[in-house]
Amino acid sequence: MTTRVTLHSPTPTNAITIHDFPLAHPTVQPLPDGRVLAVGARARWRQDGPDRNAIIYSADGAALAAETLGDGIEHVFTTGTGHVWVGYFDEGVYGNYGWGGPDGPAPIGSCGLARFSPNLEVDWRFSSHVDYPWGAISDCYALNIDADTAWTCYYTGFPIVRVHDGELTGWDGDGTAARALITDGSRIALYGGYSADRDRLIAGRLTDDEMRSTGEYRVVLPDGQELPADARVIGRGPDLHILTSADWYRLDLSDIPAEP
């Protein structure tokens, strides 16, 4: 399959054509020097080696490197230094497709959240222990990468946890099952939820140990229509990006009232 990757900042700046693209359900992220990273959501373990579901492509579409980042991948974000943050859903944490079984290795994503070096080698993993108040990650629901700082909201319990220089800081998120989050470091907004709350947005402030809610909203299109069911919503820093089949919308945290 031939695939075309277009880079936007925010207008199109470059296009890369990739021939014989092998990955299913991919996420594509930019890398330094015009390269791109493509990551497939699934990777099966086999006795002769696992699927290599992460491929780095050059600016002219040539494959430069291929590695395995694990199965059950929910989120992939790159940084300006070329590091790669990966969040895993439950099958990536507990195992499937040969991972975690009697004849297979422990899942790469058993930690729930990992950072990989520019060479696609693991260089940091979320603690799998429960010796801190926020617990381990069973499913990385929401992930936001702002420069070199990661923010996540995860099952179970849905705390808000910041990772900076390998150190964790956490807040009680009041059990909100967010699918995306945006933050400027002191204010935060959690997007999504179950069933009727899929387009809910809860804004708040981060106090010493919890999020103090300052408002609850519904996210709609500029004309007031509901978001399409297949809209993809991504948080990066203070910006919530909403991608539909035809348009790309952005909601900035500063556009949300700071107080009730």
Side-chain angles (χ1 to χ4, degrees):
M1 179 178 65
T2 299
T3 300
R4 187 169 183 262
V5 178
T6 305
L7 305 180
H8 299 255
S9 61
T11 57
T13 59
N14 191 26
I16 299 173
T17 299
I18 301 172
H19 300 286
D20 300 321
F21 186 75
L23 302 177
H25 309 293
T27 297
V28 179
Q29 288 281 287
L31 290 171
D33 304 321
R35 298 169 301 145
V36 296
L37 171 70
V39 180
R42 310 309 303 251
R44 188 179 295 275
W45 168 262
R46 299 179 176 86
Q47 289 299 323
D48 58 352
D51 294 340
R52 295 185 179 273
N53 62 331
I55 305 174
I56 295 175
Y57 291 95
S58 69
D60 60 7
L64 302 176
E67 284 294 345
T68 303
L69 300 191
D71 182 51
I73 291 176
E74 181 73 23
H75 308 281
V76 180
F77 291 118
T78 56
T79 71
T81 60
H83 287 80
V84 184
W85 288 87
V86 179
Y88 299 84
F89 58 84
D90 53 357
E91 292 183 19
V93 174
Y94 294 105
N96 199 355
Y97 289 143
W99 301 91
D103 299 322
I108 293 175
S110 61
C111 56
L113 175 64
R115 188 184 67 187
F116 294 79
S117 72
N119 295 325
L120 303 183
E121 298 176 350
V122 175
D123 67 4
W124 182 87
R125 291 169 58 86
F126 196 92
S127 174
S128 61
H129 302 291
V130 289
D131 54 357
Y132 47 83
W134 318 292
I137 298 176
S138 292
D139 192 320
C140 185
Y141 268 48
L143 181 63
N144 183 321
I145 305 301
D146 188 11
D148 296 320
T149 300
W151 296 79
T152 182
C153 180
Y154 56 85
Y155 182 82
T156 59
F158 301 105
I160 299 163
V161 176
R162 180 185 67 202
V163 183
H164 182 71
D165 290 339
E167 298 294 327
L168 274 59
T169 307
W171 295 264
D172 180 0
D174 198 27
T176 300
R179 292 292 182 178
L181 67 88
I182 54 176
T183 182
D184 62 6
S186 59
R187 295 186 63 209
I188 193 167
L190 305 175
Y191 171 83
Y194 297 120
S195 302
D197 290 329
R198 69 177 185 86
D199 57 358
R200 178 184 62 184
L201 187 75
I202 298 178
R205 290 191 175 276
L206 297 174
T207 64
D208 289 342
D209 57 3
E210 65 180 1
M211 168 184 166
R212 179 177 65 84
S213 177
T214 57
E216 183 171 329
Y217 310 91
R218 295 286 174 178
V219 178
V220 298
L221 297 176
D223 62 1
Q225 296 295 312
E226 291 186 358
L227 296 186
D230 60 352
R232 186 175 183 188
V233 181
I234 301 169
R236 284 299 296 250
D239 297 322
L240 193 69
H241 300 272
I242 301 167
L243 308 175
T244 69
S245 60
D247 296 292
W248 177 359
Y249 303 96
R250 181 173 64 89
L251 175 68
D252 190 279
L253 187 59
S254 63
D255 297 326
I256 304 171
E259 297 296 336

